């Protein structure tokens, strides 16, 4: 009850297909805003070699050292489902890294941290945390120009005040729209609304498949 069910399975027609745009027509509208873009899918958003590397390294790191985030959207409203699986060793999991808004500080959750560990893992292994950070920082750097190309308005909204909190942004070059990363392994997210996402911004999803 209340668990997500796939209504469609969208497949790539062939290697020639580079983009897919999913739209929704607004009933009763005939103006220029009668069609809403739901998502823009870039089939080859990052190089295949990098995707393979990230898949191998992130799954290994998070499986061994990741501290999963308890998210309300992991369960249905009645909290009776088993969408993530029942075995804590193999169940779906979600991991959060980088900065995010905190209700306690009304600002960044690391606002009072002298040495923030934005890529914190279980235990105390700086080498693993540095490797994770390098992977996610490089990914953010690589994805940002693609985001700018396909959703420029949302991109510019997210970098407008980038200079005010440079330490809260991910990426190694100027033009850094992202501040946090959620890494999911076999995680089934139930219907929810993120209240603290940036207004007139967008969420970028990078799917790594084996």
């Amino acid at each position: 009850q209340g668990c997500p069910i796939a209504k469609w399975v969208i497949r790539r027609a062939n290697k020639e297909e580079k983009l897919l745009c999913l739209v929704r027509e607004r009933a009763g509208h005939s103006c220029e805003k009668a069609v809403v873009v739901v998502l823009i899918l870039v089939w080859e958003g990052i190089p295949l070699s990098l995707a393979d590397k990230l898949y191998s390294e992130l799954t290994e790191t998070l499986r061994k050292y990741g501290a999963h985030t308890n998210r309300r959207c992991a369960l249905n409203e009645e909290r009776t489902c088993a969408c993530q699986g029942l075995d804590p060793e193999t169940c779906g999991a979600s991991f959060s890294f980088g900065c995010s808004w905190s209700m306690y500080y009304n600002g960044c959750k690391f606002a009072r941290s002298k040495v923030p560990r934005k890529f914190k893992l279980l235990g105390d292994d700086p080498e693993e945390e540095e490797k994770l950070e390098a992977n996610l920082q490089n990914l953010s750097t690589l994805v940002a120009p693609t985001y700018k190309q396909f959703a420029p308005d949302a991109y510019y909204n997210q970098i407008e005040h980038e200079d005010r909190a440079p330490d809260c942004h991910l990426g190694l070059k100027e033009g850094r729209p992202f501040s946090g990363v959620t890494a999911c392994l076999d995680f089934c997210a139930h219907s929810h609304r993120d209240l603290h996402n940036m207004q007139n911004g967008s969420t970028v999803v990078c799917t790594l498949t084996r």
Side-chain angles (χ1 to χ4, degrees):
Q1 183 69 29
C3 298
I5 299 175
K7 295 182 178 179
W8 306 283
V9 175
I10 300 175
R11 297 183 185 277
R12 188 179 185 181
N14 51 55
K15 291 289 181 70
E16 308 304 315
E17 182 180 309
K18 302 300 181 184
L19 293 173
L20 182 145
C21 189
L22 179 64
V23 301
R24 182 177 73 239
E25 295 184 5
R26 300 172 68 194
H29 286 257
S30 57
C31 62
E32 62 179 14
K33 295 181 174 60
V35 176
V36 177
V37 176
V38 178
L39 67 86
I40 301 170
L41 195 160
V42 184
W43 287 111
E44 297 173 9
I46 63 174
L48 185 60
S49 58
L50 175 61
D52 289 342
K53 175 179 179 290
L54 287 173
Y55 186 98
S56 299
E57 294 188 6
L58 291 178
T59 52
E60 183 72 8
T61 298
L62 296 176
R63 185 175 61 82
K64 287 183 177 180
Y65 308 106
H68 73 88
T69 305
N70 289 316
R71 302 182 62 192
R72 185 176 177 182
C73 66
L75 298 169
N76 58 3
E77 283 294 330
E78 291 76 19
R79 308 182 74 78
T80 56
C81 72
C83 290
Q84 314 306 340
L86 300 176
D87 185 346
E89 295 297 317
T90 59
C91 67
S94 174
F95 307 87
S96 296
F97 303 103
C99 297
S100 61
W101 183 85
S102 168
M103 62 181 289
Y104 301 107
Y105 305 135
N106 192 28
C108 178
K109 66 181 181 182
F110 294 113
R112 298 185 183 178
S113 300
K114 293 182 179 179
V115 184
R117 291 170 63 187
K118 296 194 290 185
F119 300 88
K120 186 176 181 180
L121 297 170
L122 292 175
D124 188 12
D125 193 334
E127 188 174 326
E128 285 294 333
E129 290 187 11
E130 288 171 9
K131 185 171 78 170
L132 175 66
E133 178 175 3
N135 278 327
L136 296 181
Q137 293 279 21
N138 287 332
L139 180 61
S140 299
T141 305
L142 188 68
V143 169
T146 304
Y147 181 28
K148 177 181 179 181
Q149 179 182 2
F150 291 103
D153 288 351
Y155 170 85
Y156 283 113
N157 283 333
Q158 288 182 224
I159 68 165
E160 184 176 0
H161 302 296
E162 143 180 40
D163 58 318
R164 294 188 185 178
D167 291 337
C168 285
H169 287 264
L170 300 178
L172 306 174
K173 297 179 180 178
E174 187 176 346
R176 302 179 297 162
F178 312 117
S179 61
V181 177
T182 298
C184 298
L185 300 179
D186 297 328
F187 185 77
C188 175
H190 294 66
S191 180
H192 66 287
R193 183 182 178 191
D194 292 322
L195 299 176
H196 305 300
N197 281 1
M198 183 168 179
Q199 293 294 319
N200 299 316
S202 185
T203 298
V204 175
V205 178
C206 181
T207 304
L208 306 174
T209 55
R210 182 175 300 187

